[in-house]
Amino acid sequence: MHSTATPATPVTSATPAVVAAVTETHCPYCALQCGMGLTAVTGGGVEVVERAAFPVNKGALCGKGRTAPALLSSRVRLTEPLVRSHATGKLAPSTWEEALDRIARELSRTRAEHGADACGVFGGGGLTNEKAYALGKFARVALGTSQIDYNGRFCMSSAAAAGQRAFGLDRGLPFPLADIPRTGCVILVGSNLAETMPPALRYLTELRENGGTLIVVDPRRTRTAEQADLHLAPRPGTDLALALGLLHLVVAGGRTDEAFIEERTTGWEEARAAAMAHWPELVERITGVPVPQLRETVRMFCDAEAAMVLTARGPEQQSKGTDTVGAWINLCLATGRAGRPLSGYGCLTGQGNGQGGREHGQKADQLPGYRKLTDPAARAHVAEVWGVDPASLPGPGRSAYELLDALGGDVKTLLLMGSNPVVSAPRAAHVERRLRSLDFLAVADVVLSETAELADVVLPVTQWAEETGTVTNLEGRVLLRRRAVSAPDGVRSDLEVLHGLAARLGHGAKFPTDPREVFEELRRASAGGAADYSGISYERLREGEGEGVFWPCPRQGVGSEDPEGRETPEGGEGVHPGTPRLFLDRFATEDGRARFVPVVHRAAAEEPDAEYPVLLTTGRVLAQYQSGAQTRRVEELNTAAPGPFVEMHPRLAARLGVAEGEAVAVVSRRGRAVAPARVTSSIRSDTVFMPFHWAGEGRANSLTHPALDPVSRMPEFKVCAVRLEPAAPREGVRAAARPDPPVEG
């Protein structure tokens, strides 16, 4: 266990009797991966203390990070394996040997009777790099299945696909967060940082304090939008038209950077022609954003000496998310706001290891190092590291929703780690039915989530403070989480789980349980790939203040090139400085030029009609996280956010006859959810909002649409058609609410 010698200041409410040495680690929640310290408390347990030297959050933590140790308690987490009894049909405690034997037996049976692809594997964006790497390897080597994906597909896959198309490389932010306050203007699209990543809000505050301007695009006037110099409130599902309309005005106003376009891009004429079909008045009719606001946005963005566009789930979780992000990237390229200091496009990754989680093999089409599974050279390189024949590696499998949709059909058995799709997947009631239809389901998790409750075997695994491993934050900064406490008796690590299963399947020697040994193998597997970690080691990550190392970071002396086009110098291993800023000299395409991609607006997969006249959009709240499986077990967080709600405009509430706090039913073509009304003028009058953290009758994802982006395979979480009804029919009240005409709410 690595620790510092200097005591730190507690940030939790209780003051320990004795403050011990501090273990430097990172928050287990979002992709900021805020630095924190853990110190032992007299009488047992640990307490969070500030880690002011870590540059991302400088000691600041939100309530989720501050209360994270509550999840270490045996009172709220799993501490022994559970196996479903054939006699009673109920989960009951078992031994580890019995649980692992049963899983291995079912996997072997499924492969023998139905083939390897009848075995599915579903991972999570919260797994460490080591665990994500081992899970992908397990699927392809121990099982030989192509059917593996992870819940990060629901996070930033559209931004990743757009970044790959435009820049030849996807990294959430191609620059450090510290650059944001130093730019001149930020357009923040579909992100509510004040509630989803509170410590990051200071970067926007500092931007404005430095004289920069902030433009927020969101159909709701969120806490983040309240900080903006200009708030644009488009109709959900119209972000693509909005971006195209802004580019039209840039061209019409002569604000393009012709020198940059000529020297560093290709494909401009086609993209320009596509944008010019979206004139301002048309865009106003589509989006509800007034033309004067469109013009003011262009003025603010182009007048600044440097500027950025940052997107999040709002524009990305759509069936046209890749094109939508591509349109915002086109705006950056056309104005020279990319590949330059303090300018560029970036994606605000959501999940704790959403970036690293897909770089190293648990995504259906990728091998470690962000290599393509269809590339023969990539297959040969990784197969050599794994000690297998390249021909034995399966090809690409189904994306996350498509895999879940296939459960009980082609896919008979599922091993699931670190995800809760019963709550988090679109069309969740259907996904729950598919999970129930499986021949066999095994879940490894920290808590008994709603998905784990359906399993035939549940394995209790270690969590953030009980294990060492690396994660990669939204900046591409590879960080080392350090073990601070011992796990309870009866709990094993995910790496031990995979080793135990692999051993029973005849591949145990290929699956070490020491995270450092796994990371050393990951380094070799990633070497030469787009996400090259070969120059990063545990020793480097422990150096100095533990600030991490930005990938790509190749091992020196191997003659590789970084995305800046610079040959790595000869010399010893592990001294490449890492790459905090991408694309300053060249983009990661073959010719070094960024690619404009022509895109045009198209409607959402499901538009309002007479039967379902209102738009639903979903998102998060400050005190809860993702499916809520962990945060809903923390008393302080539950007190702050005890349950779901339906946010609606007063005019919409009046049409329905619903008062504040009264239960309202939201109905889509896929399901029904019931929650109290929250009446506010901060949302458009044609739109309702629901947070998605809860199961049961308030499950927002019972309603959402599984239509998939054709490139990223991202489901359309952020927009679908619904109707609103009183939870219990009342005499004289209309059955469905009608929205106002499509104007800004």
Side-chain angles (χ1 to χ4, degrees):
M1 178 171 69
H2 176 83
S3 63
T4 61
T6 305
T9 305
V11 296
T12 53
S13 55
T15 301
V18 177
V19 178
V22 176
T23 301
E24 293 180 345
T25 190
H26 296 272
C27 177
Y29 290 111
C30 80
L32 283 179
Q33 284 303 290
C34 291
M36 62 165 59
L38 292 178
T39 185
V41 179
T42 300
V46 294
E47 187 167 42
V48 172
V49 297
E50 285 187 5
R51 187 178 161 194
F54 186 66
V56 171
N57 61 309
K58 297 182 179 179
L61 292 168
C62 71
K64 294 184 289 292
R66 184 170 49 77
T67 60
L71 271 299
L72 301 173
S73 170
S74 297
R75 295 190 300 273
V76 298
R77 51 95 61 87
L78 294 165
T79 57
E80 57 187 346
L82 303 174
V83 173
R84 193 170 299 279
S85 167
H86 292 298
T88 67
K90 296 181 179 180
L91 289 170
S94 80
T95 67
W96 269 96
E97 296 309 305
E98 178 190 355
L100 292 174
D101 284 347
R102 183 163 174 186
I103 297 172
R105 187 167 58 248
E106 292 294 337
L107 290 170
S108 296
R109 180 192 59 77
T110 299
R111 291 173 65 202
E113 294 180 4
H114 304 286
D117 275 357
C119 297
V121 177
F122 199 87
L127 300 180
T128 63
N129 290 320
E130 292 82 358
K131 292 190 285 189
Y133 170 84
L135 187 62
K137 180 182 176 183
F138 177 83
R140 296 179 174 107
V141 173
L143 295 178
T145 182
S146 66
Q147 300 303 301
I148 175 173
D149 210 79
Y150 82 126
N151 62 16
R153 178 79 70 168
F154 300 157
C155 177
M156 59 173 291
S157 58
S158 292
Q164 288 278 6
R165 289 199 313 194
F167 307 133
L169 181 69
D170 153 49
R171 196 179 81 186
L173 292 180
F175 42 75
L177 284 161
D179 284 0
I180 293 174
R182 299 164 56 211
T183 193
C185 178
V186 169
I187 302 180
L188 183 66
V189 189
S191 172
N192 182 13
L193 283 180
E195 299 203 44
T196 60
M197 295 180 174
L201 189 64
R202 70 179 180 86
Y203 292 103
L204 301 180
T205 302
E206 291 174 13
L207 166 75
R208 299 188 69 212
E209 290 173 349
N210 291 341
T213 54
L214 173 63
I215 302 166
V216 171
V217 180
D218 198 304
R220 305 165 63 220
R221 188 165 181 80
T222 63
R223 295 181 186 179
T224 307
E226 289 174 354
Q227 308 299 313
D229 297 281
L230 179 62
H231 172 216
L232 311 181
R235 184 174 178 265
T238 64
D239 309 85
L240 176 52
L242 177 62
L244 288 164
L246 296 176
L247 183 52
H248 176 112
L249 287 170
V250 165
V251 174
R255 306 301 298 264
T256 56
D257 188 330
E258 295 298 326
F260 179 88
I261 292 171
E262 175 66 25
E263 294 168 7
R264 301 199 58 191
T265 72
T266 63
W268 167 233
E269 289 305 319
E270 294 84 356
R272 176 185 179 277
M276 295 312 288
H278 299 77
W279 60 93
E281 292 74 18
L282 173 64
V283 170
E284 178 177 336
R285 288 200 295 274
I286 294 171
T287 66
V289 178
V291 171
Q293 288 191 358
L294 300 176
R295 296 187 185 279
E296 180 64 4
T297 300
V298 169
R299 185 196 66 76
M300 293 168 67
F301 188 67
C302 293
D303 281 357
E305 186 174 341
M308 299 174 178
V309 171
L310 305 176
T311 68
R313 306 301 80 75
E316 297 164 18
Q317 287 182 326
Q318 299 184 29
S319 60
K320 53 183 180 293
T322 302
D323 284 355
T324 300
V325 173
W328 289 104
I329 291 175
N330 286 349
L331 178 67
C332 290
L333 293 175
T335 54
R337 313 307 198 161
R340 287 177 169 171
L342 307 182
S343 286
Y345 162 78
C347 164
L348 297 168
T349 309
Q351 292 193 79
N353 196 31
Q355 182 72 52
R358 74 178 178 285
E359 292 167 4
H360 300 300
Q362 65 173 334
K363 189 165 176 277
D365 57 351
Q366 287 178 188
L367 287 169
Y370 227 140
R371 288 182 159 91
K372 294 183 183 299
L373 192 52
T374 53
D375 178 1
R379 293 170 66 88
H381 172 85
V382 174
E384 182 179 5
V385 174
W386 288 351
V388 300
D389 183 347
S392 71
L393 298 178
R398 294 177 171 94
S399 71
Y401 179 77
E402 291 166 305
L403 174 55
L404 294 171
D405 190 41
L407 300 181
D410 295 341
V411 179
K412 309 292 185 181
T413 296
L414 183 70
L415 172 64
L416 185 147
M417 285 187 162
S419 185
N420 188 18
V422 165
V423 178
S424 64
R427 198 185 174 195
H430 171 75
V431 168
E432 181 177 342
R433 289 192 293 271
R434 303 298 345 125
L435 285 160
R436 292 180 182 276
S437 73
L438 282 164
D439 290 353
F440 183 80
L441 171 63
V443 172
D445 209 333
V446 172
V447 299
L448 190 66
S449 69
E450 286 77 12
T451 303
E453 289 177 351
L454 305 181
D456 297 285
V457 175
V458 183
L459 302 176
V461 291
T462 53
Q463 52 180 309
W464 62 291
E466 300 162 349
E467 59 189 11
T468 294
T470 62
V471 293
T472 306
N473 82 343
L474 77 173
E475 305 165 295
R477 190 191 299 256
V478 183
L479 303 163
L480 183 64
R481 284 189 191 160
R482 298 172 172 91
R483 179 175 175 270
V485 296
S486 298
D489 292 339
V491 173
R492 296 185 183 180
S493 74
D494 297 88
L495 295 179
E496 291 174 313
V497 168
L498 293 174
H499 171 82
L501 293 176
R504 287 163 171 79
L505 297 171
H507 297 276
K510 289 184 168 62
F511 292 87
T513 60
D514 178 12
R516 178 172 175 171
E517 187 176 348
V518 176
F519 189 78
E520 288 300 308
E521 184 180 306
L522 182 158
R523 294 175 66 192
R524 299 194 301 275
S526 73
D532 191 334
Y533 283 30
S534 61
I536 306 174
S537 66
Y538 273 32
E539 287 74 22
R540 286 197 69 184
L541 296 177
R542 286 191 174 107
E543 290 173 358
E545 299 292 341
E547 294 185 2
V549 179
F550 291 86
W551 72 261
C553 182
R555 182 173 66 86
Q556 293 204 343
V558 298
S560 60
E561 289 189 352
D562 67 19
E564 305 296 320
R566 297 186 294 260
E567 188 83 4
T568 57
E570 298 297 323
E573 180 179 350
V575 293
H576 186 285
T579 316
R581 295 171 181 84
L582 300 171
F583 315 138
L584 295 182
D585 296 329
R586 68 191 307 275
F587 294 95
T589 55
E590 290 184 2
D591 60 6
R593 291 171 173 264
R595 309 281 194 252
F596 280 99
V597 178
V599 295
V600 296
H601 174 70
R602 60 184 186 274
E606 185 177 74
E607 291 287 332
D609 58 18
E611 188 175 3
Y612 300 95
V614 179
L615 289 166
L616 168 71
T617 193
T618 64
R620 287 170 47 189
V621 297
L622 175 61
Q624 301 288 354
Y625 182 72
Q626 303 300 68
S627 74
Q630 296 182 43
T631 50
R632 285 186 275 118
R633 287 169 165 81
V634 178
E635 182 178 357
E636 180 178 330
L637 300 178
N638 264 342
T639 300
F645 57 87
V646 183
E647 186 176 280
M648 66 180 69
H649 193 278
R651 288 196 293 270
L652 194 55
R655 281 171 169 73
L656 185 62
V658 170
E660 173 76 19
E662 186 176 351
V664 61
V666 185
V667 183
S668 78
R669 290 178 173 85
R670 289 153 297 282
R672 183 176 189 265
V674 177
R678 182 173 294 182
V679 182
T680 173
S681 59
S682 65
I683 190 169
R684 290 176 57 96
S685 57
D686 57 2
T687 301
V688 295
F689 167 85
M690 288 190 72
F692 54 71
H693 309 290
W694 287 273
E697 69 171 6
R699 180 173 61 184
N701 277 319
S702 295
L703 309 168
T704 49
H705 203 300
L708 301 180
D709 181 287
V711 179
S712 68
R713 315 309 287 169
M714 167 74 84
E716 189 144 68
F717 287 100
K718 280 296 181 278
V719 54
C720 70
V722 298
R723 67 171 181 264
L724 306 178
E725 303 171 347
R730 289 176 284 127
E731 184 177 352
V733 177
R734 295 175 58 181
R738 304 285 178 179
D740 284 344
V743 297
E744 182 190 7

